[in-house]
Amino acid sequence: MLALRSRPFWALPLFLLLAISSQGPVSSADEVPAAPVNSPLSPEASVAQFRLPDGLKLELVAAEPEIVDPVAIRFDEFGRLWVVEMRDYPNGPGEGRPPLSRIKLLEDRDGDGRFEKATTFADELLFVTGVQPWKGGVFVTLSGKVEWMQDKDGDGRVDHRETWFTGFAEENPQLRANHPRFALDNRIYVSNGLRGGVVVNRKQKSDKPLSISGRDFRFEPFSADCQAISGTGQFGLTFDDYGNRFNCSNRNPMMHVVLAEHYLARNPLLTVPAVVNDVAASGEASHVYPISQAWTTSILHAGQFTAACGVECYRGDALPAEFYGNGLTCEPTGNLVHREVLKPAGATFASHPAREGVEFLATPDSWFRPVNLETGPDGALYVVDMYRCVIEHPQFVPEELKARPDLRYGDDRGRIYRIVRAGAAKAPASKPMASLSPAEWVKSLASGNSWQRETAARLLFEKQDRSVQGELESLEKTSTDPRARVHALWALNGLGVLSKAMLQAALNDDHPRVREQAVLLAEGKLAEDAELRKRALALASDPDARLRFQLALSLGAAPGADATAALTQIALSGADDVWTRRAVAASIGDKPAELLLAVLAAPAPEQKAAEGRLALASEFAQLVGAGKNPDKVAAVVAGLAALPADGETQRLQWSAALGLAKGLRSRGASLTGILAGRPAADEVLHLFKQAS
């Protein structure tokens, strides 16, 4: 689960203290230093120590003895809180003993906000890491597999279990598959855990084993159809309103998965150095500001992320508007939760800390171990606190410390908190989503709270009730909220009733995110439907970079001269965005030379875009070279030789010449060999020598 780097300094021998560094307390000049506390604290005393932004307050939702060692939570449509308890941490059960992990069902029966009723749904589980509600039960990630568990007789205990997938790596107890999550596209995604595995589909036994090395995993919850997908998260997985997926690892607090693997597979000549983008500063560039006495095992990591986990894109409505869409990441080493403000950056995102030098949530209580975050039915932000003395697997400590007794201190504790507006009146309890009709679920797709929207979307998909087609179409046509319109489109698609007329209208929507999702949904129809194709191609000139990026990817499913022209237009307008260039390269098929010639012939861009065009020329020349087609290489050579001689053009010639040579060399060929006897060969070889 979590490969963390923390322990209380008082528990360490002197020789090790000399090798580690404190990363706290650190705070900005306008922060009053926190007074030290004697951990552990009672739940109530711990609440009093938290610091968070003005205007917010933190409330206790659940604590020991009802819950112990919580690592993940999910709310279901009945208003119940599912709690994953990793009681095995860190070493697992002793030899010959049963596993210790549990799944608890919590209920707030008196409506006071405190979940006082706890039922053990399942126990004797090994290293359980996450749950996803589905059809009254839950999909569970645990001990190398995904199971579906259900309580058929209504007593709160599991009495039906099905193993769907096995083969997830089990090398390390805290680096395992986790965070099953139902997404906008009606699939359930699972974070890899970093160790990969070879997944066996137990529901579709004809499927070949599927390697997920370096990749995450997803499946369709009716058919069990599954895929390995780009990106590999350690312990955390979250989405934004439009299906963008984010994960994290120890030193990387928020990563956006930009390029999907199935798009890249279209072009075997294309290799890319990365498919994910570090949205937030990572590694040594990252900064955290604990107010506790936090310690790291490496002096080089002091004041940095060393245990990022539980990343959440907050999209509830119980906090002020400025928090909506923020990225939040747990850092249990520093006893804090960090907050980043996201903004679009071409095809991906960039971010900056919300408050420089001050964390979103911090405490001097060194036993506070936030490991996960969740948006609730009430729109509040929920914080999962394992509350342990030490969060560190023995695999990552010296041999002489592997059996230290404090590794289990706190294994009888655990807390869950809720963050809301200070002074806000408690909202009256709403009806459980399960008690609403399908037509009411459709209305919930327009809620300001992502939990309401996404739970309604899941229930519509589960129910497969096509009687709501009219309501969904009306919502897509009339809602002023683009999020609701997008959910309506995906709900119609999930019911198998998304019409061409709806797609056509969505491609003309006034919001770029709706147009983007329409392109994605129309992707499989672009090759044979002339009308949809014409409208989609027209979006190549759309001002929105993210939309053009998706269009570039989708056009790979519909090759043709018109698609090549559209890809060229997208490449030129987005030349300064590496992700757009990669998307075009993935979809260009056997036409990189045609695109490159168009780039060479295009008018010179503004100075600020000149570097992007150089990169574009180099990368596509490399694709041409890797193809080893003498005629295509010769055509590019002729295009280069025909360019006018001026300073900026010469740089373009050099970039393309070097790209050609690099691509040829990667396939065991040379520029000299493939150009032998060709017109203008001498000129290009001269350019190559100049560029070299």
Side-chain angles (χ1 to χ4, degrees), residues 1-6 23 174 234-235 248-253 286 288 296 301 304-311 329-336 369-372 391-392:
M1 181 186 72
L2 309 167
L4 310 186
R5 299 289 182 273
S6 65
Q23 67 170 43
Q174 59 185 19
Q234 182 172 342
F235 189 75
C248 60
S249 64
N250 277 340
R251 305 275 283 154
N252 306 78
S286 67
V288 293
T296 63
H301 293 171
Q304 303 168 12
F305 269 103
T306 67
C309 59
V311 63
T329 306
C330 298
E331 176 51 66
T333 300
N335 318 112
L336 60 88
R369 302 297 187 183
V371 294
N372 229 322
I391 300 285
E392 174 71 282

Side-chain angles (χ1 to χ4, degrees), residues 45-61:
S46 187
V47 166
Q49 296 297 326
F50 285 108
R51 293 190 181 183
L52 65 167
D54 291 342
L56 301 184
K57 67 176 179 179
L58 181 141
E59 302 171 339
L60 186 66
V61 170

Side-chain angles (χ1 to χ4, degrees), residues 493-509:
N493 188 69
L495 295 175
V497 293
L498 178 59
S499 68
K500 174 181 172 178
M502 294 300 297
L503 267 181
Q504 190 76 274
L507 287 168
N508 288 286
D509 195 277

Side-chain angles (χ1 to χ4, degrees), residues 140-147 161 163-168 170 177:
V140 182
T141 48
L142 74 165
S143 55
K145 58 189 173 182
V146 174
E147 286 192 8
R161 294 173 66 167
T163 298
W164 280 49
F165 306 101
T166 59
F168 298 94
E170 299 182 74

Side-chain angles (χ1 to χ4, degrees), residues 294-338:
W295 294 79
T296 63
T297 53
S298 169
I299 191 170
L300 299 177
H301 293 171
Q304 303 168 12
F305 269 103
T306 67
C309 59
V311 63
E312 172 79 355
C313 185
Y314 173 74
R315 295 171 294 125
D317 55 3
L319 301 185
E322 62 264 30
F323 292 89
Y324 194 95
N326 287 182
L328 297 157
T329 306
C330 298
E331 176 51 66
T333 300
N335 318 112
L336 60 88
V337 176
H338 180 78

